[in-house]
Amino acid sequence: MHPFRKAVEADDHDAVRALLAEDVVFTSPVAFTPSPGRELTAAILRAVSRVFTDFRYVKEISSADGRDHALVFKARVGDREIQGCDFLHTDDQGLIDDFTVMVRPLSAATALAEAMGARFDQIKREAGLE
């Protein structure tokens, strides 16, 4: 089991942050522009953990070299069930330097975008961007 998955399943936000490279790039399924940096990515992931309910990983796929991982999940956003995948790439130190999330269906992605948009100011504050 990937350490990121263990940290998420344990709801251990400090461990999640510690697994992120300083220069990690987070690509969201609901934002046009990728978000760079450990603090912003950690703040986004904390917010997502408050938006999702009944979150669970259902499958984990890793590349032969162990640097690329796909963590398939299911959760709820309000009354919508969402399916998604966290695509992780790790650097030479084993830290996540590229993090891309994809979700479906569109109605759940829209609900996620609305819920995260409502938390955008809090995310920026938590990341030290305000």
Side-chain angles (χ1 to χ4, degrees):
M1 180 181 301
H2 192 277
F4 179 81
R5 178 179 177 175
K6 285 183 184 177
V8 168
E9 289 178 343
D11 200 31
D12 186 344
H13 299 288
D14 292 334
V16 166
R17 183 188 172 283
L19 292 166
L20 301 173
E22 184 68 36
D23 61 348
V24 62
V25 175
F26 180 82
T27 304
S28 166
V30 297
F32 179 73
T33 306
S35 301
R38 177 187 294 145
E39 299 310 322
L40 182 54
T41 300
I44 291 167
L45 294 174
R46 283 190 300 272
V48 168
S49 75
R50 294 186 288 264
V51 167
F52 282 159
T53 57
D54 194 26
F55 180 88
R56 64 215 177 272
Y57 284 114
V58 296
K59 184 184 278 189
E60 182 173 336
I61 304 165
S62 298
S63 65
D65 67 3
R67 294 190 62 178
D68 291 289
H69 308 274
L71 305 176
V72 181
F73 64 85
K74 292 185 178 181
R76 297 192 70 75
V77 179
D79 64 348
R80 304 284 181 187
E81 185 165 322
I82 193 165
Q83 282 183 312
C85 191
D86 293 337
F87 294 98
L88 313 176
H89 179 270
T90 55
D91 63 15
D92 291 335
Q93 290 73 44
L95 298 176
I96 299 165
D97 62 359
D98 188 65
F99 192 129
T100 299
V101 181
M102 294 187 182
V103 297
R104 65 160 303 281
L106 179 59
S107 62
T110 301
L112 177 61
E114 290 170 359
M116 291 299 290
R119 290 166 172 77
F120 187 69
D121 290 338
Q122 178 184 358
I123 290 168
K124 289 191 319 189
R125 280 192 305 276
E126 286 185 19
L129 299 176
E130 282 192 349

